[in-house]
């Protein structure tokens, strides 16, 4: 099993519903977030284009945050989901420093490093991640790349896509369809 | 004598906490679902964070804790998925800054303050002041300004008293020109939500519509389907809006010239014979006049006005014609821009007719709405005068009340006999809604009674004599929702939570008030589900099932599209779609829309364009902690060249000053971006709150409304054109970089 997310940038309007759903699902303290909207503008007016993206932890196959964790708190879990074990986390912040996507932060309540979990508990229960479930433009897809019949697998077979900062060699599991 | 009688009260009431503490009714957490609704895990509602009113579920988790609001999967308006505002609805409920008790303005030698009051006291106070006004000058001199579900209850109260002066800024500050234009053309105004068959269209044209930035849920969802299908989307916008960035064609038009483009498109469609001949012949009146009228409105003519490439104008027109009749030229929603808005909307209505899209699949469908029977009550007394008399011969095609005309009738300079002396304001923050704020305040000061009903201490509450705290939509019943769409449906809102603090639903307030005037028979319910279940029964649907499912489909009253057998009729003078409008001609307005040139910004000034952010509704969601986190204030967009000339960098704080010398009360960050041209600045409406009781959003950003002092009134129906002001940018200080 290799869980992944695909986000169709032709459809995302950057409304932030994914962010609110995550905040609500995990009761994220004000001022913190596990997902966010990025807007990339290219060109000079009026020859200008824009891409909007919903971003979060990329659940990298070669995750710098896992490699650098001195206590093995940061680990790759079932389905390739990158998680942090709060019992092992000593709050050293190495993972936060190492993440090329700036996806991690210290939870102000317990001091642990934290981030997007791909809603692994929901996913284990057969549900979609909270963000995917609410998206009003249906631009987010989640599934198992090892399942050839999964919608996400088909999309990645048929459509052009990119990952963020591929030069970092992290092998992200979030794909942006174009 | 009345001047400054009503100071804007920014401070919260003295002795705050007294009433709450003494009665031990302060709630800090929601009750569990098991306590409130044994055996239930979800309660039906429809969203009230905006006017789209998506049907939704309030849900509890396995532990019985209130957890989230999700869309009702069978609702055609949301298909189970809410927008960020709907998802964040709980933030409205949990907002610690909500109004908590009734407040009564009180006076001491040191000044004015709000005193917390009990409900009986507040109701008594309102009743005695209202009675005095009625005795002296009749119930007609009471007016209601409202928005949303709560306002409907107060409308009934005003009508029962005998006043016909109820209004909503959603008309003259928003959709009115469009509705009048469609009424003149097709015989009926467009309803809300607009009956646009977006999912079935083969070409969507957005001109002054910003889907994706306005999260009109079903329309945004369906636009997404178009992108999947690879359908042409043509967006006309001076700014690279979200929709523009997702479109197959973007026409970066010079602001204020849209009407020229619309006329040129019609010219191309007629000159090249691309119009729907059968449709024109069968349904339309005035084609020849239109043809003559448009002869010289060539793409080259329009190009010189709009700064667009004439070939691109032609290409867009051909794209529309190729898709016809499955094409939609979006009628827009907030269309009050330059005072010629009804004429611009007429051009959109006529263009749709030339393409044969109205009444056709993939075009504009015939809206299907459930008819909700009205709960029995005695006939309303007939007022001696109503809003129509406040027009004083102006705005002759207004078919609903014009809020600014009611403000005129309330103003000290009103020389007529029809004077308004008391205001009820329900769910609308007029200070951020109606342009020319000083005039609104002068009218407010001239009132003998101002009652404001709201959930939040919005600015307008600071001008009230009495503030009534309404509970949020999650804590109350309201009328059944019968939104017109492809399928006729009925959705229900039932309380999912106990009202916090001393907040109450509007239907409860009007019932209490009604008793004071012996008007009980108009509000003959004990709780509001008496009304809802009666209505459901009358419609032949089970109220129990309605509450169980949240929303039910009922039979459609008509066909969705024109039927070749059952020919449509149009409620116009000619009984046809009037390309040439007799209604306009009779009232002395151009029967065919013509381009009007609008003033250019003077040197050093920019057009102030404003719009929406997808996570906010007007000025009402700024303090919702979820949405505040997502978008705490609107930056001012500035083109890079302009920024360089003015020495501005991302993150600099600026003040805007309009051409009439009005400066924004607060500052906003600059956002240097190529998404906007050098002639304009842009910001999102609804920021720059001046009431510190809304702790999160207070002083965040600039209020566009504050800068709208040159209001361009639409002579046809009284709409307030809000783009008449130009602004210059003044740097305030340098702060951190905007990332």
């Amino acid at each position: 099993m290799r869980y992944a997310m695909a986000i169709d940038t032709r459809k995302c309007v950057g409304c932030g519903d994914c962010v609110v759903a995550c905040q609500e699902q995990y009761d994220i303290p004000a001022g913190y977030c596990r997902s966010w909207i990025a807007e990339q503008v290219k060109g000079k007016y009026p020859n200008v284009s824009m891409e909007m993206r919903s971003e979060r932890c990329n659940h990298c196959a070669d995750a710098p945050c896992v490699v650098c964790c001195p206590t093995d708190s940061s680990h790759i879990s079932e389905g390739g989901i990158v998680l942090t074990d709060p019992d092992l986390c000593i709050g050293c912040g190495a993972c936060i420093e190492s993440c090329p996507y700036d996806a991690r932060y210290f939870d102000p309540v317990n001091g642990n490093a934290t981030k997007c979990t791909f809603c692994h508990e929901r996913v284990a229960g057969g549900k979609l991640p909270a963000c995917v479930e609410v998206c009003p433009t249906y631009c987010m897809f989640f599934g198992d790349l090892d399942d050839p019949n999964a919608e996400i697998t088909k999309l990645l077979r048929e459509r052009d896509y990119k990952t963020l900062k591929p030069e970092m060699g992290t092998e992200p599991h979030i794909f942006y369809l174009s | 004598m009345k001047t400054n009688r009503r100071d804007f009260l920014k401070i919260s009431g003295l002795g705050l906490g007294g009433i709450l503490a003494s009665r031990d009714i302060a709630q800090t957490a929601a009750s569990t679902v098991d306590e409130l609704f044994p055996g239930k895990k979800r309660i039906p509602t429809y969203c009230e964070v905006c006017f789209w009113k998506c049907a939704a579920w309030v849900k509890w988790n396995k532990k019985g804790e209130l957890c989230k609001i999700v869309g009702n999967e069978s609702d055609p308006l949301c298909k189970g998925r809410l927008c960020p505002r709907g998802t964040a609805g709980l933030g409205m409920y949990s907002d610690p800054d909500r109004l908590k008790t009734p407040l009564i303005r009180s006076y001491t030698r040191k000044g004015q303050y709000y005193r917390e009051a009990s409900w009986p006291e507040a109701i008594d106070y309102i009743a005695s002041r209202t009675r005095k006004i009625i005795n002296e000058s009749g119930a007609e001199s009471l007016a209601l300004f409202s928005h949303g579900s709560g306002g409907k209850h107060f409308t009934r109260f005003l009508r029962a008293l005998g006043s016909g002066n109820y209004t909503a800024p959603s008309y003259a500050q928003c959709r009115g020109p469009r509705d009048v234009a469609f009424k003149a053309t097709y015989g009926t105004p467009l309803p809300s939500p607009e009956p646009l068959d977006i999912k079935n269209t083969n070409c969507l044209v957005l001109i002054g519509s910003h889907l994706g930035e306005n999260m009109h849920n079903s329309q945004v969802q369906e636009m997404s389907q178009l992108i999947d299908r690879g359908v042409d989307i043509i967006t006309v916008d001076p700014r690279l809006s979200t929709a523009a960035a997702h479109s197959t064609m973007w026409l970066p038009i010079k602001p204020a010239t849209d009407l020229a483009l619309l006329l040129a498109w019609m010219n191309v469609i007629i000159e090249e014979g691309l119009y729907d001949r059968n449709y024109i012949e069968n349904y339309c009146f005035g084609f020849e006049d239109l043809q003559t009228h448009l002869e010289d409105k060539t793409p080259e003519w329009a190009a010189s006005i709009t700064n667009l490439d004439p070939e691109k104008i032609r290409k867009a027109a051909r794209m529309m014609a190729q898709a016809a009749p499955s094409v939609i030229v979006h009628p827009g929603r907030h269309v009050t821009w330059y005072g010629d808005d009804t004429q611009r909307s007429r051009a959109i209505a006529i263009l749709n007719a030339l393409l044969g899209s109205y009444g056709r699949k993939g075009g504009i469908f015939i809206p299907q709405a459930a008819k909700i029977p009205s709960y029995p009550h005695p006939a309303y007394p007939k007022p001696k005068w109503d809003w129509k008399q406040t027009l004083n011969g102006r705005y002759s095609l207004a078919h609903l009340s014009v809020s600014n005309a009611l403000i005129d009738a309330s103003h000290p300079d009103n020389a007529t006999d029809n004077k308004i002396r008391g205001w009820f304001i329900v769910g609308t923050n007029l200070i951020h809604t109606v342009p020319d704020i000083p005039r609104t305040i002068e009218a407010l000061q001239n009132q003998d009674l101002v009652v404001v009903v709201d959930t939040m201490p919005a600015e307008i509450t600071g001008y009230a004599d009495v503030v009534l705290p309404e509970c949020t939509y999650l804590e109350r019943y309201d009328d059944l929702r019968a939104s017109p769409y492809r399928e006729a449906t009925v959705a229900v809102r039932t309380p999912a939570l106990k009202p916090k603090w001393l907040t109450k639903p509007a239907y409860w307030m009007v019932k209490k008030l009604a008793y004071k005037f012996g008007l009980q028979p108009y509000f003959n319910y004990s709780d509001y589900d008496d009304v809802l279940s009666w209505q459901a029964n009358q419609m032949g649907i089970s109220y129990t099932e309605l509450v169980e499912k949240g929303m039910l489909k009922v039979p459609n009253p008509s066909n969705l599209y024109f039927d070749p057998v059952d020919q449509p009729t149009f409620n116009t003078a000619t009984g046809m779609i009037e390309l040439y409008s007799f209604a306009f001609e009779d009232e002395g307005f151009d029967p065919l829309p013509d381009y009007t040139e609008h003033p250019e910004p003077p040197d050093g000034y920019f057009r102030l364009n404003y719009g929406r952010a997808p996570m906010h509704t007007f000025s009402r969601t700024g303090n919702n902690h979820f949405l505040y986190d997502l978008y705490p204030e609107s930056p001012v967009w500035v083109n890079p060249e302009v920024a360089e000339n003015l020495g501005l960098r991302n993150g600099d704080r600026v003040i805007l000053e309009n051409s009439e010398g009005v400066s924004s009360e607060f500052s906003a960050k600059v956002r240097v971006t190529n998404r906007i041209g050098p002639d304009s600045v842009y910001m999102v409406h609804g920021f720059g709150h001046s009431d510190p009781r809304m702790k999160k959003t207070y002083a965040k950003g600039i209020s566009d409304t504050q800068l709208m002092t040159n209001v361009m009134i639409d002579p046809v129906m009284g709409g307030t054109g809000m783009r008449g002001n130009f602004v210059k940018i003044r740097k305030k200080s340098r702060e951190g970089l905007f990332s």
Side-chain angles (χ1 to χ4, degrees):
Chain A
M1 244 177 348
R2 278 189 303 143
Y3 286 120
M5 196 177 274
I7 293 160
D8 192 340
T9 57
R10 297 177 321 169
K11 297 203 284 184
C12 176
V13 296
C15 73
D17 206 1
C18 45
V19 180
V20 177
C22 177
Q23 305 287 91
E24 203 158 68
Q25 183 77 32
Y26 297 102
D27 217 355
I28 310 277
Y32 296 83
C33 61
R34 294 179 180 184
S35 59
W36 58 91
I37 302 294
E39 181 188 313
Q40 196 175 341
V41 180
K42 282 181 190 159
K44 191 165 179 276
Y45 186 92
N47 300 307
V48 55
S49 66
M50 173 183 64
E51 178 178 295
M52 279 176 160
R53 295 189 298 260
S54 170
E55 294 187 0
R56 59 194 43 64
C57 166
N58 278 279
H59 295 276
C60 308
D62 192 352
C65 59
V66 172
V67 175
C68 74
C69 178
T71 66
D72 292 339
S73 164
S74 194
H75 64 285
I76 295 185
S77 175
E78 195 174 346
I81 300 179
V82 177
L83 293 176
T84 307
D85 183 341
D87 293 337
L88 297 177
C89 180
I90 54 170
C92 71
C95 57
I96 293 173
E97 290 296 316
S98 75
C99 176
Y101 309 103
D102 203 13
R104 288 174 169 252
Y105 62 94
F106 282 122
D107 183 323
V109 178
N110 60 22
N112 290 331
T114 189
K115 63 169 193 69
C116 161
T117 64
F118 261 179
C119 283
H120 66 104
E121 283 164 338
R122 286 175 59 92
V123 169
K127 289 181 181 170
L128 286 169
C131 53
V132 178
E133 193 178 64
V134 296
C135 175
T137 65
Y138 293 79
C139 76
M140 303 179 74
F141 304 87
F142 183 84
D144 176 9
L145 293 182
D146 288 338
D147 175 0
N149 295 319
E151 191 176 16
I152 189 168
T153 319
K154 283 185 198 161
L155 281 168
L156 294 177
R157 214 161 37 222
E158 289 161 10
R159 297 266 303 269
D160 290 336
Y161 61 83
K162 67 174 178 188
T163 55
L164 297 182
K165 298 188 181 173
E167 68 280 6
M168 303 302 291
T170 55
E171 296 176 49
H173 274 108
I174 296 193
F175 302 91
Y176 292 95
L177 304 169
S178 52
Chain B
M1 178 182 124
K2 284 171 181 167
T3 319
N4 290 330
R5 171 172 87 64
R6 193 171 284 112
D7 291 344
F8 174 44
L9 293 187
K10 290 187 173 188
I11 49 156
S12 44
L14 289 183
L16 189 77
I19 283 198
L20 289 178
S22 65
R23 299 200 186 167
D24 193 32
I25 47 154
Q27 282 176 282
T28 49
S31 310
T32 67
V33 66
D34 291 332
E35 271 174 53
L36 287 169
F37 312 104
K40 293 209 175 183
K41 291 287 175 241
R42 59 181 198 179
I43 295 295
T45 188
Y46 55 87
C47 187
E48 186 85 10
V49 191
C50 91
F51 41 78
W52 214 251
K53 298 188 163 56
C54 298
W57 296 109
V58 184
K59 291 179 87 170
W60 284 262
N61 63 20
K62 289 189 183 109
K63 285 181 250 167
E65 298 158 339
L66 179 66
C67 72
K68 60 170 102 172
I69 303 173
V70 298
N72 183 323
E73 51 296 327
S74 57
D75 180 23
L77 293 187
C78 76
K79 299 185 189 73
R81 296 192 175 204
L82 298 176
C83 80
R85 300 163 302 166
T87 303
L90 288 177
M92 196 165 156
Y93 165 77
S94 62
D95 195 321
D97 298 339
R98 275 172 62 177
L99 294 168
K100 300 179 177 72
T101 76
L103 300 170
I104 296 178
R105 178 181 296 265
S106 305
Y107 303 82
T108 65
R109 245 181 298 168
K110 282 186 193 161
Q112 304 174 18
Y113 68 98
Y114 279 132
R115 165 172 72 79
E116 286 183 348
S118 68
W119 275 102
E121 211 181 348
I123 297 285
D124 274 343
Y125 185 97
I126 296 168
S128 71
R129 293 271 200 113
T130 304
R131 193 171 292 115
K132 186 164 183 285
I133 294 173
I134 293 176
N135 290 343
E136 288 171 8
S137 49
E140 291 83 355
S141 48
L142 297 167
L144 166 68
F145 298 83
S146 82
H147 190 271
S149 303
K152 292 188 179 159
H153 302 292
F154 273 87
T155 303
R156 292 183 194 111
F157 175 58
L158 239 73
R159 295 186 71 182
L161 285 174
S163 169
N165 288 319
Y166 41 92
T167 191
S170 50
Y171 187 69
Q173 279 69 54
C174 194
R175 297 158 35 204
R178 173 199 92 180
D179 291 355
V180 170
F182 272 74
K183 188 166 181 285
T185 314
Y186 296 96
T188 175
L190 285 178
S192 172
E194 295 81 23
L196 307 179
D197 203 5
I198 296 177
K199 74 173 176 189
N200 291 315
T201 200
N202 288 321
C203 180
L204 174 65
V205 183
L206 302 175
I207 176 161
S209 183
H210 318 93
L211 294 183
E213 282 158 339
N214 55 29
M215 286 300 289
H216 301 162
N217 198 346
S218 35
Q219 293 191 4
V220 175
Q221 292 198 16
E222 292 187 18
M223 182 172 79
S224 203
Q225 294 176 28
L226 298 189
I227 295 169
D228 266 340
R229 277 207 285 129
V231 165
D232 282 329
I233 302 175
I234 301 167
T235 298
V236 181
D237 202 312
R239 182 175 61 87
L240 185 83
S241 63
T242 300
H246 288 64
S247 296
T248 35
M249 184 191 267
W250 171 40
L251 296 168
I253 194 168
K254 181 178 164 184
T257 65
D258 302 61
L259 193 39
L261 173 64
L262 288 161
L263 296 175
W265 275 345
M266 292 197 267
N267 168 288
V268 174
I269 286 167
I270 292 177
E271 286 297 308
E272 300 189 3
L274 303 174
Y275 55 94
D276 191 326
R277 279 166 209 277
N278 282 336
Y279 190 92
I280 298 287
E281 215 162 276
N282 290 336
Y283 304 132
C284 301
F285 175 85
F287 179 75
E288 288 74 22
D289 289 316
L290 178 68
Q291 189 170 22
T292 314
H293 177 70
L294 293 170
E295 256 164 16
D296 55 351
K297 306 295 186 293
T298 61
E300 281 68 24
W301 165 80
S304 66
I305 296 169
T306 58
N307 287 351
L308 295 171
D309 172 2
E311 281 317 307
K312 241 178 148 179
I313 297 176
R314 278 199 178 84
K315 193 179 167 198
R318 289 170 191 154
M319 281 159 78
M320 292 176 219
Q322 195 161 17
S326 294
V327 53
I328 299 164
V329 183
H330 197 299
R333 197 164 170 111
H334 172 72
V335 294
T336 44
W337 305 347
Y338 296 102
D340 59 350
D341 308 302
T342 313
Q343 292 291 6
R344 188 184 63 253
S345 296
R346 271 270 296 155
I348 291 177
I350 297 168
L351 177 56
N352 275 297
L354 290 178
L355 296 162
S357 72
Y358 189 93
R360 297 288 192 65
K361 185 171 183 186
I364 299 173
F365 58 77
I366 312 300
Q368 307 296 318
K371 188 147 176 42
I372 309 283
S374 117
Y375 191 65
H377 61 77
Y380 292 123
K382 193 169 161 37
K384 290 191 198 71
W385 59 275
D386 65 11
W387 63 270
K388 291 183 207 80
Q389 280 69 48
T390 66
L391 303 180
N392 300 325
R394 305 167 295 174
Y395 323 143
S396 48
L397 288 178
H399 70 291
L400 292 175
S401 57
V402 176
S403 47
N404 32 302
L406 287 181
I407 290 174
D408 290 344
S410 311
H411 195 272
D413 69 11
N414 172 13
T416 76
D417 292 337
N418 302 328
K419 295 189 197 301
I420 296 207
R421 294 179 50 198
W423 283 16
F424 288 82
I425 305 162
V426 182
T428 178
N429 188 7
L430 295 180
I431 303 301
H432 280 263
T433 307
V434 182
D436 195 353
I437 300 172
R439 187 165 176 84
T440 305
I441 293 175
E442 284 155 19
L444 270 163
Q445 298 291 6
N446 194 42
Q447 299 303 297
D448 292 318
L449 174 66
V450 176
V451 178
V452 177
V453 180
D454 213 315
T455 63
M456 293 298 297
E459 282 84 348
I460 190 68
T461 62
Y463 295 95
D465 295 308
V466 187
V467 180
L468 301 180
E470 191 185 20
C471 56
T472 68
Y473 70 106
L474 300 169
E475 302 155 290
R476 66 185 200 225
Y477 293 105
D478 266 309
D479 288 341
L480 295 174
R481 185 203 80 175
S483 299
Y485 214 53
R486 290 190 187 88
E487 295 161 306
T489 57
V490 180
V492 68
R493 171 183 292 160
T494 69
L497 296 153
K498 282 194 271 189
K500 270 192 170 187
W501 305 297
L502 277 188
T503 64
K504 291 286 184 189
Y507 65 82
W508 180 92
M509 301 177 200
V510 293
K511 196 181 160 184
K512 291 286 175 200
L513 281 166
Y515 269 101
K516 300 284 174 191
F517 295 89
L519 298 172
Q520 303 89 306
Y522 289 90
F523 304 92
N524 190 18
Y525 46 80
S526 80
D527 206 351
Y528 208 66
D529 57 345
D530 291 350
V531 175
L532 306 182
S533 55
W534 182 88
Q535 289 173 323
N537 285 338
Q538 291 290 307
M539 296 173 78
I541 58 180
S542 148
Y543 182 64
T544 316
E545 191 189 356
L546 181 58
V547 172
E548 194 63 36
K549 296 188 174 159
M551 196 219 73
L552 291 175
K553 287 174 185 161
V554 297
N556 277 4
S558 77
N559 288 324
L560 198 54
Y561 309 118
F562 288 175
D563 186 323
V565 182
D566 182 16
Q567 283 292 301
T569 52
F570 304 95
N571 186 23
T572 57
T574 55
M576 300 181 88
I577 298 172
E578 291 194 357
L579 309 178
Y580 182 99
S581 170
F582 281 115
F584 274 53
E585 187 179 48
D586 288 349
E587 296 299 336
F589 304 120
D590 288 344
L592 290 163
D594 216 344
Y595 171 68
T596 331
E597 202 178 320
H598 297 296
E600 296 286 314
D603 264 359
Y605 284 86
F606 304 88
R607 290 187 181 280
L608 172 62
N609 290 340
Y610 55 86
R612 303 268 179 253
M615 58 292 281
H616 285 293
T617 304
F618 317 139
S619 65
R620 46 195 288 204
T621 49
N623 214 60
N624 178 317
H625 73 94
F626 290 115
L627 304 176
Y628 173 83
D629 261 11
L630 213 47
Y631 198 86
E633 77 173 58
S634 173
V636 174
W637 295 22
V638 177
N639 176 275
E641 280 173 27
V642 174
E644 196 178 323
N645 289 341
L646 298 177
L648 295 171
R649 295 175 66 175
N650 262 330
D652 284 350
R653 289 206 84 89
V654 292
I655 300 276
L656 297 182
E657 183 185 319
N658 78 9
S659 31
E660 293 172 322
V662 175
S663 286
S664 59
E665 186 174 357
F666 305 109
S667 65
K669 276 182 185 173
V670 163
R671 179 195 174 183
V672 180
T673 177
N674 270 300
R675 289 178 66 188
I676 193 167
D679 58 356
S680 322
V681 295
Y682 170 81
M683 54 192 255
V684 171
H685 168 75
F687 290 89
H689 279 284
S690 55
D691 198 317
R693 292 175 297 172
M694 294 192 285
K695 294 187 194 72
K696 276 187 185 293
T697 193
Y698 169 66
K700 299 287 185 339
I702 289 176
S703 161
D704 53 347
T705 315
Q706 199 204 337
L707 298 166
M708 295 168 187
T709 50
N710 177 33
V711 184
M712 302 160 93
I713 306 259
D714 191 328
V716 180
M717 51 63 69
T720 51
M722 302 196 199
R723 302 207 170 156
N725 283 97
F726 305 115
V727 293
K728 62 180 174 192
I729 310 170
R730 285 211 325 257
K731 193 159 154 179
K732 197 182 175 205
S733 66
R734 178 85 205 286
E735 287 187 9
L737 280 178
F738 187 69
S739 60

